């Protein structure tokens, strides 16, 4: 049975774990142990439940969300590319693995005004650095790339996912 055919029923303990972690994990050496202590659960139960939530797609990923501006990366640009659809998955994978790309994804085109189908957020300290990164991406994309642009950030937006209430 595929994951799409069965949903994980959330109980009150799952909801408590989600509420305790949705704003971020504690910045301590053993964050799951701290969550367990806060909720009066065992660390093993917290970790097993989080793994179940990941397996069933309730939690899609656990990762760091840095504030690039505070780290000195103030010339952030969303690079957008018109890439051959037959090669976008493989090429997107390669672009997404670059250390200066925080996220990379496939989106539908909206012709004639928006021909782009591959998006990659590039971080740099200057616009020249971002442009150099875009040139490196262009080399990876090669002849599969037909058009491109860089859309520079003008302000930082709230970086949070979906939240559930009390």
């Amino acid at each position: 049975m595929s994951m799409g055919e069965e949903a994980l029923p959330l109980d009150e303990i799952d909801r408590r774990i989600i509420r305790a972690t949705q704003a971020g994990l504690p910045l301590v050496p053993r964050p799951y142990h701290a969550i367990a202590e806060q909720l009066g659960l065992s660390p093993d139960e917290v970790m097993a439940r989080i793994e179940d939530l990941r397996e069933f797609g309730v939690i899609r990923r656990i990762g760091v969300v840095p504030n690039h501006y505070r780290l000195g990366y103030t010339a952030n640009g969303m690079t957008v590319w018109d890439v051959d659809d037959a090669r976008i998955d493989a090429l997107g994978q390669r672009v997404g693995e670059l250390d200066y790309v925080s996220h990379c994804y496939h989106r539908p085109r909206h012709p004639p005004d928006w021909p782009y189908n591959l998006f990659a957020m590039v971080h740099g300290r200057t616009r020249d650095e971002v442009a150099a990164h875009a040139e490196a991406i262009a080399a990876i994309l090669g002849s599969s790339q037909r058009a491109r642009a860089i859309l520079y950030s003008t302000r930082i937006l709230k970086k949070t996912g979906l939240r559930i209430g009390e």
Side-chain angles (χ1 to χ4, degrees):
M1 177 179 293
S2 73
M3 288 182 8
E5 295 176 22
E6 181 181 348
L8 176 70
L10 297 180
D11 64 16
E12 186 52 35
I13 294 173
D14 293 325
R15 292 178 190 283
R16 288 175 52 215
I17 291 170
I18 291 168
R19 283 193 295 271
T21 60
Q22 66 188 358
L25 296 175
L27 298 177
V28 297
R30 298 176 82 179
Y32 299 110
H33 287 69
I35 299 285
E37 184 176 328
Q38 173 189 338
L39 299 177
L41 302 169
S42 76
D44 288 340
E45 181 176 10
V46 168
M47 289 185 275
R49 284 177 175 265
I50 287 175
E51 183 55 34
D52 287 345
L53 293 168
R54 283 176 41 101
E55 183 179 322
F56 281 88
V58 175
I59 295 174
R60 288 187 289 157
R61 73 179 200 85
I62 297 173
V64 176
V65 181
N67 181 328
H68 292 93
Y69 286 85
R70 291 186 68 185
L71 294 172
Y73 293 90
T74 58
N76 307 301
M78 178 63 74
T79 62
V80 293
W81 309 86
D82 176 8
V83 175
D84 179 2
D85 288 318
R87 301 203 54 221
I88 194 167
D89 289 339
L91 292 170
Q93 179 72 35
R94 289 185 57 202
V95 171
E97 291 172 351
L98 297 169
D99 60 2
Y100 48 82
V101 173
S102 61
H103 49 283
C104 180
Y105 46 91
H106 181 185
R107 289 288 184 259
R109 295 180 177 90
H110 295 282
D113 299 322
W114 194 257
Y116 310 111
N117 61 341
L118 180 67
F119 292 45
M121 188 66 189
V122 173
H123 300 281
R125 295 184 188 279
T126 66
R127 286 188 176 204
D128 287 342
E129 185 178 354
V130 171
H133 292 325
E135 289 301 321
I137 293 171
I140 290 169
L141 299 177
S143 63
S144 291
Q145 173 226 158
R146 295 179 289 252
R148 65 178 168 166
I150 302 174
L151 311 173
Y152 287 99
S153 301
T154 57
R155 62 189 172 108
I156 194 165
L157 301 174
K158 181 178 164 185
K159 293 181 177 184
T160 60
L162 178 65
R163 302 283 193 247
I164 63 171
E166 293 298 321

